[in-house]
C-alpha cells in the first residue's frame, strides 16, 4: 500500500515520453525535408514514410507513458476497479493533499481575521460586534 508510483512505472513513463519525442522529431523532419527539398517529396528518401513512422511512434510513446503513469488497471488496459484505485492512488492522494492545503489556507485566513466582540454592560458576557441584545441576559448593547 504505497502512495508512491513504482520505479518500473516511472521508467515506463519516461521511456514512453522518449519514444514520443523521437516520433515528434521524425514527424517534424518531414516538414524540414519538404522545405529544404520541395521537389523530392516522393523521391528516394521518401520523407512521408518518416512522418508516418514518427506519427506511429508518438501514439505508441504516449500510450506507454500513460501506462507508466497510471498503471495497467488505472489506464483501463485491464478491467480491475480495485487495482485501478490502487494504481491511481498517488493522484487521488495528491488531489486530497491539495484540498487539505487549500482548507488549511482558509483556516489560516480565518484565524488571522480579527474578531471584534462587545462586552455586555450588565452581565459582562462577550457578544458579537453586530449583536443588538446580549445573548445571555438580553440587555440592550
Ligand atoms: Zn448581558
Amino acid at each position: 500500500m504505497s502512495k508512491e508510483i513504482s520505479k518500473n512505472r516511472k521508467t515506463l513513463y519516461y521511456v514512453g515520453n522518449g519514444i514520443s519525442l523521437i516520433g515528434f522529431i521524425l514527424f517534424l523532419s518531414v516538414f524540414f525535408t519538404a522545405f529544404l527539398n520541395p521537389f523530392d517529396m516522393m523521391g528516394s528518401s521518401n520523407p512521408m514514410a518518416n512522418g508516418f513512422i514518427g506519427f506511429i511512434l508518438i501514439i505508441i510513446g504516449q500510450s506507454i507513458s500513460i501506462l507508466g503513469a497510471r498503471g495497467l488497471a488505472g489506464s483501463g488496459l485491464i478491467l480491475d476497479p480495485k487495482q485501478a484505485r490502487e494504481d491511481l492512488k498517488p493522484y487521488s492522494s495528491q488531489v486530497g493533499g491539495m484540498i487539505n492545503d487549500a482548507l488549511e489556507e482558509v483556516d489560516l485566513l480565518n484565524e488571522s481575521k480579527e474578531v471584534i466582540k462587545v462586552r455586555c454592560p450588565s452581565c459582562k458576557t462577550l457578544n458579537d460586534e453586530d449583536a443588538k441584545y446580549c445573548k445571555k441576559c438580553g440587555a440592550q448593547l
Side-chain angles (χ1 to χ4, degrees):
M1 293 276 274
S2 163
K3 279 188 174 180
E4 290 295 316
I5 296 176
S6 70
K7 210 176 173 186
N8 287 344
R9 274 171 61 186
K10 272 183 184 163
T11 310
L12 208 60
Y13 177 75
Y14 292 124
V15 166
N17 274 343
I19 292 173
S20 316
L21 190 67
I22 293 167
F24 188 63
I25 291 166
L26 210 57
F27 188 66
L28 279 184
S29 75
V30 176
F31 298 102
F32 281 109
T33 313
F35 179 75
L36 293 171
N37 204 354
F39 303 109
D40 193 33
M41 278 304 280
M42 292 296 152
S44 49
S45 56
N46 200 359
M48 292 306 278
N50 281 349
F52 186 69
I53 293 167
F55 190 67
I56 299 288
L57 281 179
I58 292 171
I59 293 171
I60 293 172
Q62 283 304 301
S63 313
I64 291 174
S65 65
I66 287 171
L67 206 65
R70 296 188 194 160
L72 281 177
S75 55
L77 202 72
I78 52 171
L79 208 56
D80 186 350
K82 214 170 159 188
Q83 185 58 40
R85 205 178 308 152
E86 197 63 34
D87 282 352
L88 293 174
K89 211 169 195 176
Y91 298 99
S92 23
S93 61
Q94 194 181 20
V95 171
M98 273 151 65
I99 291 170
N100 280 344
D101 286 352
L103 285 176
E104 262 171 42
E105 209 160 304
V106 171
D107 267 359
L108 285 175
L109 287 175
N110 280 343
E111 266 172 41
S112 61
K113 206 174 93 182
E114 211 175 337
V115 182
I116 300 166
K117 296 268 183 187
V118 276
R119 203 172 282 280
C120 168
S122 52
C123 74
K124 311 292 179 213
T125 300
L126 283 174
N127 287 278
D128 289 335
E129 187 190 15
D130 54 352
K132 274 189 175 160
Y133 301 99
C134 172
K135 63 184 173 192
K136 199 178 173 194
C137 69
Q140 201 164 354
L141 297 174

